[in-house]
């Protein structure tokens, strides 16, 4: 990393910002070639490259040059990681991953099929075969598990949690919560720590 900055300084000793931009653009080009070699689609890689170069060029300054390099590196790592998850994991794992990543949204089977480039008809059989539960049931369960975490760790109201998890109404959220857990969200929030202490 330090060599990158030295190169930038040497090529633009009279213009530090230009030197930093040139260095960052060179670094992005190196990372771009690497992710293409790792199997990332060429067209998507060039689009990513162009977007980052434009962002670099439009930046007036870099308050922390090495932090920018770390952020770019992390950005590329996450892109490759997501690409591999969505393209190389078995279908049931990709479905589960998608649901967890989009749990705040109103997820439909059409959404999942489109995102994973899979046939809608293949989703439930693949998922049920592995997890013994239908996708819609898993979505409901995961939303309620997330709601439990929010009830314990935050002061959000039931309406706020309901909206955050894309329930149609707060009353439907309460109804779903009770169907799955046997108790209301308020009861869960009020008695969680008491029950934990008596385990």
């Amino acid at each position: 990393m330090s060599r990158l900055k030295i190169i930038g300084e040497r090529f633009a000793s009279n213009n530090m910002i230009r030197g930093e931009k040139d260095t960052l653009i060179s670094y992005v080009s190196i990372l771009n070639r690497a992710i293409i070699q790792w199997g990332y689609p060429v067209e998507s890689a060039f689009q990513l490259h162009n977007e980052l170069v434009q962002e670099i060029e439009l930046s007036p300054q870099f308050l922390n040059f090495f932090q920018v390099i770390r952020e770019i590196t992390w950005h590329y790592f996450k892109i490759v990681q997501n690409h591999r998850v969505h393209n190389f994991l078995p279908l049931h794992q990709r479905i589960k991953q998608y649901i967890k990543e989009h749990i705040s949204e109103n997820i439909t089977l059409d959404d999942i099929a489109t995102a994973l480039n899979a046939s809608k008809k293949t989703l439930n059989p693949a998922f049920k075969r592995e997890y013994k539960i239908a996708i819609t049931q898993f979505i409901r369960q995961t939303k309620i598990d997330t709601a439990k975490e929010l009830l314990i760790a935050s002061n959000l109201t039931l309406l706020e949690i309901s909206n955050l998890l894309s329930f149609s109404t707060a009353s439907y959220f309460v109804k779903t919560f009770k169907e799955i857990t046997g108790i209301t969200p308020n009861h869960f929030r009020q008695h969680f720590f008491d029950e934990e202490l008596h385990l």
Side-chain angles (χ1 to χ4, degrees):
M1 296 298 180
S2 59
R3 287 181 184 176
L4 282 173
K5 184 157 186 179
I6 291 169
I7 292 167
E9 288 174 359
R10 284 180 180 169
F11 280 105
S13 56
N14 295 327
N15 187 340
M16 188 62 185
I17 298 299
R18 183 68 259 163
E20 288 181 339
K21 287 183 178 184
D22 289 345
T23 302
L24 290 174
I25 290 169
S26 297
Y27 186 54
V28 165
S29 297
I30 292 167
L31 290 176
N32 235 58
R33 283 197 297 273
I35 66 171
I36 290 170
Q37 289 174 352
W38 295 334
Y40 193 71
V42 175
E43 187 177 326
S44 299
F46 280 122
Q47 183 179 348
L48 173 63
H49 176 271
N50 292 338
E51 287 170 0
L52 285 173
V53 168
Q54 185 175 14
E55 192 174 331
I56 290 166
E57 289 291 7
L58 292 175
S59 298
Q61 61 179 331
F62 305 101
L63 297 177
N64 187 330
F65 181 79
F66 290 109
Q67 180 61 29
V68 174
I69 286 181
R70 282 191 290 271
E71 288 172 2
I72 290 173
T73 307
W74 179 246
H75 185 58
Y76 270 93
F77 170 76
K78 293 301 290 181
I79 283 171
V80 172
Q81 183 184 51
N82 288 336
H83 175 70
R84 288 186 170 180
V85 164
H86 290 158
N87 291 280
F88 298 108
L89 286 179
L91 182 58
H92 63 271
Q93 289 183 17
R94 289 160 56 202
I95 295 168
K96 192 173 187 180
Q97 183 80 17
Y98 178 88
I99 291 168
K100 290 188 172 183
E101 288 176 1
H102 296 83
I103 199 59
S104 63
E105 301 168 19
N106 182 23
I107 306 168
T108 67
L109 290 181
D110 286 329
D111 295 332
I112 298 171
T114 300
L116 302 185
N117 196 25
S119 165
K120 186 177 172 181
K121 292 179 180 178
T122 64
L123 298 181
N124 257 316
F127 197 82
K128 234 176 168 178
R129 188 165 50 247
E130 187 67 25
Y131 300 115
K132 316 302 180 203
I133 186 174
I135 292 172
T136 51
Q137 290 175 291
F138 180 77
I139 292 170
R140 278 167 39 103
Q141 180 66 59
T142 306
K143 281 185 182 289
I144 296 308
D145 288 343
T146 306
K148 285 180 181 179
E149 294 173 8
L150 293 169
L151 287 164
I152 296 164
S154 76
N155 293 320
L156 293 172
T157 66
L158 297 190
L159 178 59
E160 288 170 330
I161 292 174
S162 169
N163 290 337
L164 195 62
L165 294 173
S166 296
F167 282 92
S168 54
T169 64
S171 59
Y172 180 62
F173 163 58
V174 172
K175 180 186 174 188
T176 305
F177 193 98
K178 192 169 183 181
E179 284 176 0
I180 290 177
T181 67
I183 57 175
T184 65
N186 278 331
H187 184 277
F188 176 83
R189 176 176 259 167
Q190 290 163 7
H191 298 282
F192 173 78
F193 290 108
D194 291 339
E195 292 172 6
E196 285 295 303
L197 289 172
H198 290 94
L199 285 179

